[in-house]
C-alpha cells in the first residue's frame, strides 16, 4: 500500500469518526430538506445516564423563533425592551458573537408576543422577517446590515392579524416571503421586488417548494387557502380553499411523491391531496390531526404530529399517510414541539422535558426523558452536529450535547 493510499484511508477514517453523532447543518426552518428531520446523526436517541449534558445556557428574549446553525454559530431571535434582537451565539460557549436589533412592538395580543419567524441562512448571509413585514439581509459572520425592505409597504399588501410568522424561503436568486394572498418574491442580493400577490390576508406558514408539471413553484398558505404559484412570476397554478377560525393557517404543507398533506387547528383538521394538473384531488379528509402551529413530520408512510389546541393541552399522535387512520395517540404528554433525528422522535414538552422515542407505527414507547428548561416551551428543538438547541417562550436557551 502506497503512502498516498494510506493517507487517503487515514483521512477518510478521520472524517467517519468526526461524523459520529453529527447530523446535517440546520440552516433553515424545518431543516435542510424542509421536512422537520435530521439524518445521518448516528445518535442512539438515549441520554447517557438519563441526564442531560448541558453545555451552556443563554437568554435571547421573548419569542417563538426557532434555531438555525452553522459550524460555529447558532442563530435565533427574541424581543427585549421594545426591540427584536437577532442573536448569533457561539456553538462552543453560548457567548454572543453579535447581535442585530431593530425597533418592534412586543405585540402580545392573545399570546406572549415577540418574533414568530425563524431566520434563514443562505451562503454568507442570513435573512430575517419581522412580524411587521420587514425583511433584513445581514452578514452571517458579523451581523452587519446588507439591506432591508419593508415588504408590506413596498408590495402594498396588508399584514396578517398576528404579524408575519413564516420563515424566508431562499430558492435560487429569490427570497420568498409569506405576505399578501400568495407571497412576495424579492431578489436576494438587493431586496428588489420581483413579483407580488394580491392584497389579501396571508397565512402564517413558510412557503414550500414544488415541482408542478415541470414548472418550479411554491405552495403558500393564505388566510383562506393554500395556493401553488410559479417561482419565476407568481402566476397561480392552483388553489385549495382552506377555511379556519381567525383565518389562521400556520402549519407548512408536506409534499411527497405527488401528494400533499394539509393540516390546520381551530377544528379544521387535515386532508391528503393528489397533485397534478390544475385541480388537486382529495384522497382523504379527517378531523384526527389538527396542526395548530407545528407541521407534522413524515417518515416512510407514517405522519407524526401535534393534534389540537396547544393552550388547552394538545396530544401527540401518529397517522397513516395513505388513509388518515390513527395508528396511535398519546394523550398526556403535553408536547411543545418536536423533530425527528434519523428514526427517533425528539420531543420537547411544554414544561421543558426532552423526550425521545422510536418513530414507529406500533405506539409511543419513550426511551429517555430529561428536564432541560424551566418555563413554557412551544418551539421545536433543533438537532445539529451532536447538539440539541431548545428554548422557552421567554427566551431561555439551552444547548444539550449528546454522544453516540
Amino acid at each position: 500500500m502506497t503512502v498516498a493510499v494510506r493517507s487517503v484511508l487515514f483521512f477518510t477514517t478521520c472524517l467517519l469518526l468526526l461524523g459520529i453523532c453529527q447530523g446535517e447543518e440546520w440552516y433553515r426552518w424545518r431543516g435542510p430538506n424542509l421536512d422537520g428531520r435530521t439524518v445521518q446523526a448516528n445518535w442512539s436517541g438515549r441520554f447517557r445516564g438519563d441526564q442531560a449534558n448541558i453545555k451552556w445556557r443563554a437568554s435571547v428574549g421573548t419569542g417563538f423563533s426557532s434555531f438555525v446553525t452553522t459550524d460555529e454559530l447558532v442563530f435565533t431571535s427574541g424581543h427585549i425592551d421594545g426591540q427584536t434582537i437577532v442573536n448569533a451565539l457561539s456553538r462552543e460557549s453560548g457567548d454572543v458573537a453579535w447581535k442585530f436589533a431593530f425597533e418592534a412592538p412586543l405585540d402580545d395580543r392573545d399570546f406572549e408576543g415577540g418574533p414568530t419567524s425563524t431566520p434563514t441562512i443562505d451562503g454568507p448571509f442570513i435573512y430575517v422577517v419581522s412580524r411587521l413585514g420587514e425583511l433584513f439581509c445581514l452578514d452571517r459572520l458579523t451581523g452587519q446590515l446588507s439591506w432591508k425592505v419593508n415588504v408590506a409597504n413596498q408590495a402594498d399588501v396588508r399584514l396578517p392579524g398576528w404579524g408575519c410568522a413564516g420563515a424566508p424561503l431562499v430558492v435560487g436568486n429569490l427570497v420568498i416571503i409569506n405576505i399578501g394572498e400568495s407571497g412576495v418574491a424579492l431578489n436576494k442580493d438587493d431586496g428588489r421586488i420581483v413579483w407580488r400577490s394580491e392584497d389579501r390576508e396571508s397565512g402564517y406558514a413558510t412557503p414550500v417548494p414544488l415541482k408542478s408539471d415541470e414548472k418550479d413553484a411554491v405552495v403558500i398558505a393564505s388566510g383562506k387557502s393554500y395556493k401553488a404559484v410559479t417561482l419565476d412570476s407568481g402566476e397561480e397554478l392552483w388553489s385549495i380553499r382552506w377555511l379556519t377560525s381567525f383565518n389562521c393557517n400556520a402549519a407548512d404543507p408536506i409534499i411527497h411523491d405527488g401528494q400533499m398533506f394539509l393540516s390546520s387547528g381551530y377544528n379544521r383538521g387535515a386532508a391528503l391531496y393528489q397533485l397534478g394538473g390544475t385541480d388537486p384531488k382529495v384522497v382523504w379528509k379527517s378531523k384526527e390531526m389538527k396542526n395548530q402551529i407545528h407541521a407534522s413530520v413524515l417518515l416512510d408512510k407514517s405522519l407524526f404530529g401535534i393534534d389540537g389546541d396547544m393552550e388547552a393541552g394538545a396530544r401527540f399522535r401518529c397517522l397513516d399517510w395513505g388513509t388518515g387512520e390513527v395508528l396511535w395517540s398519546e394523550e398526556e404528554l403535553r408536547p411543545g414541539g418536536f423533530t425527528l433525528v434519523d428514526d427517533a422522535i425528539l420531543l420537547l414538552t411544554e414544561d421543558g422535558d426532552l423526550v425521545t422515542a422510536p418513530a414507529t407505527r406500533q405506539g409511543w414507547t419513550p426511551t429517555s426523558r430529561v428536564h432541560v428548561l424551566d418555563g413554557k416551551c412551544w418551539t421545536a428543538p433543533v438537532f445539529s452536529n451532536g447538539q440539541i438547541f431548545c428554548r422557552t417562550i421567554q427566551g431561555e436557551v439551552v444547548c444539550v450535547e449528546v454522544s453516540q
Side-chain angles (χ1 to χ4, degrees):
M1 183 182 294
T2 68
V3 173
V5 171
R6 286 198 298 270
S7 297
V8 169
L9 288 175
F10 175 78
F11 180 69
T12 302
T13 302
C14 289
L15 288 178
L16 289 172
L17 290 173
L18 286 171
I20 291 175
C21 200
Q22 293 295 297
E24 305 156 296
E25 285 299 351
W26 202 267
Y27 67 88
R28 60 183 177 180
W29 167 247
R30 282 176 61 80
N33 298 312
L34 299 170
D35 58 1
R37 183 176 178 231
T38 189
V39 298
Q40 299 178 347
N42 299 316
W43 179 41
S44 66
R46 189 180 291 276
F47 297 100
R48 181 175 294 178
D50 288 327
Q51 291 185 344
N53 179 16
I54 295 177
K55 188 174 180 65
W56 50 259
R57 296 181 183 272
S59 185
V60 298
T62 302
F64 295 76
S65 176
S66 189
F67 303 91
V68 289
T69 69
T70 65
D71 287 340
E72 297 180 351
L73 297 174
V74 57
F75 306 85
T76 190
S77 298
H79 183 276
I80 300 174
D81 296 333
Q83 293 184 316
T84 287
I85 313 291
V86 184
N87 298 268
L89 306 176
S90 164
R91 291 185 66 142
E92 177 62 28
S93 65
D95 292 341
V96 175
W98 56 258
K99 291 184 178 184
F100 177 80
F102 56 90
E103 290 187 8
L106 179 62
D107 195 11
D108 53 348
R109 178 168 66 95
D110 300 327
F111 77 121
E112 290 83 354
T116 50
S117 175
T118 297
T120 297
I121 298 169
D122 182 66
F125 299 106
I126 184 165
Y127 297 88
V128 179
V129 174
S130 78
R131 287 179 62 197
L132 295 179
E134 303 151 304
L135 177 61
F136 300 86
C137 176
L138 309 175
D139 184 281
R140 176 172 58 83
L141 296 179
T142 66
Q144 181 177 353
L145 178 67
S146 177
W147 54 259
K148 66 176 181 179
V149 175
N150 189 314
V151 183
N153 289 346
Q154 290 293 316
D156 195 24
V157 291
R158 73 193 70 180
L159 293 169
W162 283 273
C164 294
L169 173 69
V170 178
V171 185
N173 201 44
L174 297 178
V175 54
I176 301 170
I177 308 302
N178 187 357
I179 190 171
E181 186 179 30
S182 52
V184 173
L186 302 94
N187 184 295
K188 73 175 185 180
D189 297 323
D190 57 17
R192 174 178 52 86
I193 291 179
V194 176
W195 53 259
R196 58 177 290 278
S197 58
E198 295 297 317
D199 178 25
R200 297 189 179 94
E201 188 170 358
S202 70
Y204 302 90
T206 296
V208 174
L210 166 72
K211 178 73 78 172
S212 178
D213 294 332
E214 302 308 314
K215 294 182 178 179
D216 291 322
V218 287
V219 179
I220 298 182
S222 79
K224 297 181 178 179
S225 65
Y226 282 81
K227 295 180 181 289
V229 298
T230 60
L231 193 59
D232 60 353
S233 67
E235 175 190 359
E236 183 178 309
L237 297 175
W238 49 255
S239 178
I240 296 172
R241 189 168 174 82
W242 194 263
L243 302 179
T244 61
S245 302
F246 315 112
N247 296 332
C248 191
N249 292 316
D252 300 354
I254 298 175
I255 300 170
H256 172 71
D257 198 21
Q259 296 180 312
M260 180 176 67
F261 173 78
L262 300 180
S263 181
S264 293
Y266 307 100
N267 204 39
R268 171 66 206 214
L272 185 70
Y273 289 86
Q274 186 68 45
L275 301 179
T278 59
D279 186 21
K281 305 295 184 184
V282 176
V283 178
W284 54 259
K285 288 185 177 182
S286 173
K287 293 281 191 181
E288 299 296 338
M289 184 69 84
K290 299 179 288 294
N291 295 154
Q292 184 187 22
I293 59 175
H294 293 292
S296 294
V297 178
L298 174 66
L299 177 63
D300 298 326
K301 296 296 183 180
S302 302
L303 271 169
F304 301 91
I306 299 174
D307 168 59
D309 187 304
M310 299 286 290
E311 207 57 75
R315 55 192 172 182
F316 194 69
R317 51 184 15 190
C318 177
L319 270 61
D320 180 80
W321 172 267
T323 66
E325 173 192 359
V326 177
L327 301 176
W328 54 261
S329 185
E330 174 58 41
E331 307 290 324
E332 305 300 327
L333 193 58
R334 292 194 71 89
F338 79 104
T339 188
L340 261 60
V341 181
D342 288 328
D343 296 339
I345 298 165
L346 175 64
L347 185 145
L348 181 64
T349 67
E350 186 177 84
D351 58 359
D353 288 355
L354 275 176
V355 189
T356 61
T360 72
R361 300 164 70 87
Q362 282 67 53
W364 173 255
T365 308
T367 55
S368 194
R369 184 168 186 152
V370 293
H371 187 73
V372 296
L373 283 167
D374 293 320
K376 186 176 176 182
C377 303
W378 275 15
T379 299
V382 163
F383 184 104
S384 172
N385 283 344
Q387 295 175 319
I388 302 169
F389 301 98
C390 310
R391 71 171 292 167
T392 68
I393 293 173
Q394 296 305 325
E396 299 308 308
V397 172
V398 64
C399 171
V400 179
E401 201 157 50
V402 301
S403 58
Q404 194 180 30

